Amino acid sequence: MNASQKSAEVINIDSKKNPAIPLSAHVKQTVEQYFLHLNGHDAVDLHAMVIGEVEKPLLQATLEHSGYNQTKAAKALGLSRSTLRKKLEYYGLS
């Protein structure tokens, strides 16, 4: 399994309560809703918008999960610690 396949994996702790829905399905549904709300207007900077909407909460959740240890968070994210610090500063999370 390569990294992109692994990132799309869903961990379902209790499959009897709620079937897990992959993050990619949520993203696709949300982007489709965004297109519907454009009412025929052109989308602009969609990639940057989606990355910005996803990256900040990803960083926040990973930091919380790692006990705010930036070294552990960077490792979990697959980033260098300096890259993580730059992203934290960019999003005002430092």
Side-chain angles (χ1 to χ4, degrees), residues 78-90:
L79 301 173
S80 69
R81 197 173 66 162
S82 63
T83 299
L84 174 60
R85 287 183 179 193
K86 287 176 190 174
K87 289 179 179 290
L88 294 175
E89 186 175 324
Y90 176 79

Side-chain angles (χ1 to χ4, degrees), residues 55 58-60 62-63 66 68-77 79-91 93-94:
E55 192 170 42
L58 172 65
L59 297 173
Q60 290 172 314
T62 305
L63 276 170
S66 68
Y68 296 91
N69 181 313
Q70 289 184 3
T71 301
K72 288 181 181 179
K75 184 177 180 181
L77 291 163
L79 301 173
S80 69
R81 197 173 66 162
S82 63
T83 299
L84 174 60
R85 287 183 179 193
K86 287 176 190 174
K87 289 179 179 290
L88 294 175
E89 186 175 324
Y90 176 79
Y91 289 110
L93 300 173
S94 53

